[in-house]
Amino acid sequence: MDLKLLLISTLLAVICYSSAQQEGNECIKANAKSCGECIQVGAKCGWCTDPEFLKQGEATSTRCDELESLRKRGCGGAKVENPRGSQWILKNKAVTNRNKGAKKLRPEDITQIQPQKLTLSLRSGEPQSFNLKFKRAEDYPIDLYYLMDLSYSMKDDLENVKNLGTQLMLEMSKITSDFRIGFGSFVEKTVMPYISTTPAKLLNPCTGDQNCTSPFSYKNVLKLTSNGQEFNTLVGQQQISGNLDSPEGGFDAIMQVAVCGEHIGWRNVTRLLVFSTDAGFHFAGDGKLGGIVLPNDGKCHLENNMYTMSHYYDYPSIAHLVQKLSDNNIQTIFAITEEFQPVYKELKNLIPKSAVGTLSANSSNVINLIIDAYNSLSSEVILENSKLAEGVTITYQSRCKNGVTGEGEMGRKCSNISIGDEVSFNISITAKQCPKMGKPETIKIKPLGFTEEVEIALNFICECDCHKNGTENSEICHNGNGTYECGACRCNEGRIGRHCECSTNEVTSEDLDKNCRKDNGTDICSNNGDCVCGTCECKKRENPEERYSGKFCDCDNFNCDRSNNKLCGGHGRCECRVCICDANWTGSACDCSLDTTTCLASNKQICNGRGTCECGTCKCTDPKFQGPTCEICPTCPGVCAEHKECVQCRAFGTGEKKETCERDCSYFNLIKVKDRDKLPQPGQAFPLMHCKERDANDCWFYYTYAVNNNTEKEVHVVETLDCPAGPDIIPIVAGVVAGIVLIGLALLLIWKLLMIIHDRREFAKFEKEKMNAKWDTQENPIYKSPINKFQNPIYGRKAAVL
């Protein structure tokens, strides 16, 4: 099972490596026929313009490769086309640092976003990034339009709104010194709830003696103004109306407020729309109930401040409203009674930069609701961009207050921004391909709910610079059958070949195929390529780094000798199945180093003068010597004695160098082993010497001395001394041994005697029990006697007389 798993994991690793190889060189896989096609493949790709770059058999597309690969193949930097993207900031006005009470500025003179305009040149696959700065300005102007439901159920709310103008002006003055307010009202399409009612009912839709105004879809009562008293006066003149169904036509009103900028009086400042109602809403499709089937056109239809096309166009859809509110930078505040909170909270999730507040039964809390909602909306900045061109992507990374960062969708926004706070966004734009026509595009980025925006012009790099210097109908391209540009021919329609020398009708000619057979053989292009115009164009391998080449595609760069599982040992390149070694390397697999530094001995001699340096390793000419630099002589006398004193003092703390051991004997590494069998043996590792020495107490100690492959001296020593026994102790030991033997014999005799007595007692007991035993064959019901009796039938008769 383990072997199976190992094989599977190995196979997967090979597949992944092969896939990585293929994906890693997308330049070659693209099969680009021109420089322009090449640079559109990816940012890693370059095009070699050197006319002499291609080898025999290599297709024009092999000019397109990764930059490092081109360099290794001999194409210098000056001859590689590799245009890069760039950016220019055209308008970069600094954000406004303004305090409340300072000199009043016009809205168009206040800047909250920087830069304002720039141009990017995009190369396919290469992102261009820039920083966008946003600062919430102090004392920024605000336009607020109050849109109110005037159906009968909002009668008591109207009374409280009549004084809203001056009160709201007072509160908003704490936020901005430039505040304007407007008012509009809505009820319902006149055709919807009164299809079967009388004309009198349309004039006064309220019941009893209540005096109500006729129903209407939307009315612009007051254009945005800074006069709060005028707001109070005009709102005080409004009358309640009525309808028969519960949902109201508020979406019609919101659409007109959003698109009728001149009638409403919107400025390029913060725009707030307060939508106040106690009912639900009609949306696209509901108009069919009144016979209205035309979809809302999203245009302004106000005449004398009244919406005149409510009977003609259906209600707008939610998506249509979202688009128009965003296009006109309007932030919506839904002031809704408790009953319809769940509905409008769902609606808020669909409309960016909107808020929902709970309106009391009589709208008495409307000012606090507006202030809270404004603070919530203005404390968050969310970036949005216009529609992107095909193949263009954009990513955001936010750097918000208190070091908070975000990526992905969260990279578009920053929250908890106070007045005067500054945040930034890193925006990266990438083109995956050139647009079909290659024309410049323009995109815009802006914070939702704000009128300021960044305009970005996108230019696409779809051709190389050398393309401009191309020669049309060049003689180089077979008598003018193509354009010579960037070191290669770009053939005219119907022409092929490296120099456009063939017509597409001539590709399969037998005469041309003869030129692609080596030595008049049968194989075309050695079965490694295709014959195009009498010239071999070699096939590409699955691994883009591996290539066929040669006039007949009979060469390659991957079938050379290997060393350590590396092509040419990793020290050369493979050309036509022969390794071309790097400097200081030789051999068929470039695995033999010409560097002699590894053969230098401590005396600076090559192999201590006792051998030759071959492929970086000493080959000792004197068989007596061994080691990395021929420095070890296991059979030479005096070597063991040379190290005896140091081994003795370091291993056992004895000997003549006991006092100076640390100073004189630190030149080798000491390794202790338990017994002689654990000492290194000849042939196990590097050459070594076995030594046996005796100390002053006639004790023997055993060790080995060697120089390892890192030229470090190593000593393995048996950790215990082998000492002979003293003469006085022998009799004592012998006496002890004799005494132990005698005691053992006595104990053995006693044990034997006891066993005999025990056996005799057991036998006597057995005999006694045997005598007392009684046997009865009848006691066994299946007992059958072994004795059978037979009687001769003529027994006792007289014999017959003969």
Side-chain angles (χ1 to χ4, degrees):
M1 184 65 180
D2 292 340
L3 179 59
K4 185 177 180 181
L5 289 175
L6 179 61
L7 290 172
I8 292 173
S9 61
T10 304
L11 179 60
L12 288 174
V14 170
I15 292 172
C16 291
Y17 174 76
S18 176
S19 176
Q21 288 276 12
Q22 293 181 51
E23 292 178 3
N25 198 335
E26 57 185 354
C27 313
I28 292 179
K29 287 182 63 180
N31 202 29
K33 297 294 191 298
S34 67
C35 187
E37 290 181 19
C38 177
I39 64 172
Q40 292 184 50
V41 176
K44 296 180 180 179
C45 302
W47 177 271
C48 185
T49 62
D50 185 355
E52 307 299 325
F53 173 68
L54 296 182
K55 297 178 182 178
Q56 274 193 322
E58 290 186 336
T60 301
S61 60
T62 56
R63 289 181 177 273
C64 183
D65 203 344
E66 292 183 355
L67 302 176
E68 182 62 21
S69 180
L70 288 175
R71 185 189 66 79
K72 288 181 178 179
R73 292 169 59 194
C75 191
K79 296 181 180 180
V80 174
E81 278 287 325
N82 179 34
R84 313 312 299 177
S86 57
Q87 55 182 267
W88 300 271
I89 298 178
L90 305 179
K91 187 177 181 182
N92 194 31
K93 185 179 178 182
V95 292
T96 303
N97 292 311
R98 180 191 180 204
N99 296 320
K100 191 176 178 183
K103 180 182 177 182
K104 190 171 183 178
L105 298 175
R106 295 179 303 170
E108 54 268 28
D109 294 332
I110 299 175
T111 303
Q112 296 184 107
I113 192 169
Q114 179 188 2
Q116 296 81 37
K117 189 174 183 180
L118 64 158
T119 296
L120 303 181
S121 288
L122 298 179
R123 159 95 182 267
S124 294
E126 180 188 29
Q128 288 294 321
S129 301
F130 65 94
N131 284 321
L132 185 149
K133 186 187 299 183
F134 176 85
K135 182 175 183 179
R136 187 178 168 193
E138 183 93 13
D139 197 24
Y140 194 71
I142 299 173
D143 284 353
L144 185 147
Y145 192 85
Y146 196 94
L147 182 59
M148 185 175 181
D149 176 6
L150 284 188
S151 58
Y152 187 77
S153 58
M154 294 287 286
K155 181 179 179 181
D156 54 345
D157 300 81
L158 180 60
E159 293 301 318
N160 283 306
V161 174
K162 288 179 179 179
N163 296 319
L164 178 65
T166 53
Q167 294 176 13
L168 190 57
M169 281 282 185
L170 181 63
E171 290 297 324
M172 294 300 289
S173 65
K174 300 175 183 178
I175 298 174
T176 177
S177 60
D178 189 355
F179 177 72
R180 300 200 309 172
I181 189 171
F183 184 81
S185 59
F186 67 92
V187 180
E188 181 57 280
K189 290 182 183 293
T190 55
V191 73
M192 289 297 295
Y194 303 108
I195 296 173
S196 60
T197 58
T198 62
K201 190 67 175 175
L202 288 173
L203 293 174
N204 185 6
C206 298
T207 58
D209 58 353
Q210 296 291 333
N211 186 21
C212 297
T213 188
S214 300
F216 56 92
S217 179
Y218 164 66
K219 181 194 297 182
N220 178 27
V221 177
L222 176 64
K223 189 176 182 178
L224 288 165
T225 178
S226 57
N227 188 340
Q229 189 57 49
E230 183 182 3
F231 179 94
N232 293 351
T233 301
L234 287 176
V235 173
Q237 297 172 2
Q238 301 306 303
Q239 287 183 296
I240 291 296
S241 183
N243 64 335
L244 297 182
D245 65 343
S246 175
E248 311 293 2
F251 276 15
D252 271 343
I254 293 176
M255 177 62 77
Q256 293 303 300
V257 172
V259 300
C260 298
E262 292 185 5
H263 294 81
I264 304 301
W266 292 119
R267 298 177 295 171
N268 285 331
V269 297
T270 299
R271 299 175 177 180
L272 301 178
L273 169 61
V274 180
F275 182 84
S276 176
T277 185
D278 63 351
F281 47 83
H282 285 295
F283 52 87
D286 287 353
K288 293 180 181 179
L289 299 174
I292 302 174
V293 294
L294 285 178
N296 196 288
D297 65 351
K299 296 180 180 179
C300 181
H301 296 288
L302 289 185
E303 293 183 12
N304 297 323
N305 288 322
M306 295 290 291
Y307 178 40
T308 59
M309 301 298 284
S310 66
H311 65 288
Y312 192 76
Y313 289 117
D314 193 5
Y315 302 99
S317 66
I318 294 175
H320 201 180
L321 274 185
V322 169
Q323 177 194 346
K324 293 301 181 181
L325 289 171
S326 175
D327 290 346
N328 293 281
N329 308 304
I330 296 173
Q331 304 176 65
T332 310
I333 300 172
F334 294 105
I336 311 299
T337 55
E338 183 69 35
E339 180 184 359
F340 287 93
Q341 281 288 309
V343 175
Y344 281 89
K345 283 183 179 178
E346 290 296 325
L347 180 61
K348 167 193 172 295
N349 294 333
L350 300 175
I351 302 179
K353 292 294 282 185
S354 64
V356 177
T358 303
L359 189 67
S360 61
N362 58 3
S363 296
S364 58
N365 69 330
V366 68
I367 292 180
N368 290 333
L369 186 154
I370 292 172
I371 298 295
D372 292 343
Y374 168 75
N375 288 332
S376 174
L377 291 172
S378 60
S379 66
E380 183 177 63
V381 57
I382 303 174
L383 297 184
E384 69 166 0
N385 53 266
S386 58
K387 185 178 179 180
L388 299 173
E390 183 180 359
V392 176
T393 60
I394 185 169
T395 60
Y396 297 86
Q397 184 179 36
S398 60
R399 291 189 288 271
C400 306
K401 191 176 177 181
N402 299 324
V404 177
T405 60
E407 295 182 350
E409 284 302 309
M410 296 305 296
R412 292 176 174 265
K413 63 186 294 186
C414 282
S415 302
N416 301 319
I417 303 174
S418 303
I419 292 175
D421 286 344
E422 183 175 294
V423 296
S424 64
F425 299 85
N426 183 264
I427 301 173
S428 184
I429 300 177
T430 307
K432 301 297 183 184
Q433 61 190 38
C434 278
K436 293 180 180 179
M437 302 301 294
K439 294 181 179 179
E441 299 281 347
T442 299
I443 62 173
K444 294 181 179 180
I445 300 175
K446 68 175 183 178
L448 278 173
F450 294 84
T451 57
E452 296 177 66
E453 63 186 15
V454 181
E455 182 180 314
I456 306 168
L458 303 180
N459 296 319
F460 300 93
I461 302 174
C462 302
E463 280 292 354
C464 301
D465 291 339
C466 58
H467 169 73
K468 303 172 186 176
N469 301 321
T471 304
E472 293 185 1
N473 303 320
S474 171
E475 288 297 319
I476 299 175
C477 303
H478 198 264
N479 301 320
N481 284 317
T483 300
Y484 186 74
E485 61 178 46
C486 304
C489 285
R490 181 184 284 190
C491 298
N492 296 336
E493 190 72 23
R495 303 296 298 186
I496 57 174
R498 186 184 289 188
H499 296 100
C500 312
E501 62 270 29
C502 283
S503 167
T504 52
N505 299 324
E506 302 171 345
V507 175
T508 57
S509 169
E510 277 294 325
D511 292 335
L512 293 175
D513 285 350
K514 291 180 181 178
N515 298 326
C516 297
R517 293 187 175 98
K518 185 177 181 179
D519 299 330
N520 294 321
T522 58
D523 294 337
I524 294 179
C525 300
S526 306
N527 289 328
N528 295 324
D530 299 315
C531 188
V532 180
C533 298
T535 303
C536 284
E537 285 198 0
C538 302
K539 295 178 181 178
K540 294 182 179 180
R541 301 266 299 172
E542 289 185 4
N543 181 353
E545 299 297 327
E546 298 177 353
R547 300 181 184 89
Y548 291 110
S549 61
K551 181 179 180 180
F552 301 102
C553 300
D554 52 341
C555 290
D556 63 60
N557 67 343
F558 53 87
N559 273 322
C560 290
D561 290 344
R562 294 175 178 265
S563 177
N564 294 326
N565 203 31
K566 293 181 179 179
L567 191 67
C568 299
H571 305 299
R573 66 185 186 277
C574 181
E575 291 188 3
C576 204
R577 303 179 182 179
V578 176
C579 285
I580 307 299
C581 300
D582 297 337
N584 289 327
W585 291 92
T586 187
S588 63
C590 301
D591 54 351
C592 181
S593 174
L594 299 178
D595 186 8
T596 59
T597 55
T598 55
C599 297
L600 282 177
S602 57
N603 59 9
K604 303 303 179 183
Q605 288 185 322
I606 299 292
C607 303
N608 272 300
R610 301 172 183 138
T612 58
C613 187
E614 297 181 4
C615 299
T617 303
C618 280
K619 186 175 182 180
C620 302
T621 53
D622 189 337
K624 292 189 298 181
F625 289 89
Q626 304 172 358
T629 56
C630 304
E631 75 280 13
I632 299 174
C633 180
T635 60
C636 295
V639 175
C640 289
E642 179 183 350
H643 306 291
K644 169 188 172 182
E645 295 298 333
C646 282
V647 174
Q648 185 179 352
C649 78
R650 288 189 60 183
F652 309 106
T654 60
E656 296 179 2
K657 292 189 177 182
K658 175 181 178 181
E659 301 300 329
T660 61
C661 191
E662 185 174 351
R663 183 191 67 192
D664 299 337
C665 300
S666 59
Y667 60 87
F668 59 83
N669 298 325
L670 182 71
I671 301 115
K672 292 184 178 182
V673 297
K674 288 188 176 182
D675 52 54
R676 293 175 65 181
D677 292 338
K678 297 295 189 297
L679 288 173
Q681 300 300 316
Q684 287 185 357
F686 28 80
L688 53 85
M689 290 178 287
H690 277 266
C691 299
K692 175 183 177 182
E693 297 292 339
R694 186 163 56 184
D695 64 8
N697 296 323
D698 288 334
C699 293
W700 295 94
F701 58 94
Y702 303 90
Y703 65 92
T704 62
Y705 175 81
V707 180
N708 64 23
N709 293 332
N710 296 323
T711 67
E712 296 173 341
K713 297 178 177 62
E714 285 186 358
V715 171
H716 289 72
V717 61
V718 179
E719 61 184 6
T720 56
L721 294 167
D722 184 6
C723 297
D728 295 336
I729 202 170
I730 293 176
I732 298 173
V733 173
V736 171
V737 172
I740 292 172
V741 171
L742 289 174
I743 293 172
L745 289 173
L747 291 174
L748 183 61
L749 291 172
I750 294 170
W751 174 80
K752 183 64 177 177
L753 178 62
L754 291 174
M755 290 302 296
I756 292 171
I757 295 171
H758 179 267
D759 289 345
R760 288 181 177 179
R761 286 179 178 176
E762 289 294 321
F763 183 73
K765 183 179 178 181
F766 171 75
E767 289 291 331
K768 183 178 179 181
E769 290 178 350
K770 179 179 177 183
M771 296 296 296
N772 293 332
K774 293 180 178 181
W775 302 93
D776 187 356
T777 59
Q778 298 301 320
E779 290 180 0
N780 189 344
I782 63 172
Y783 174 76
K784 185 176 181 180
S785 174
I787 302 173
N788 293 317
K789 293 182 179 182
F790 298 93
Q791 186 173 353
N792 192 338
I794 63 172
Y795 175 74
R797 296 182 184 179
K798 291 182 179 179
V801 180
L802 298 174

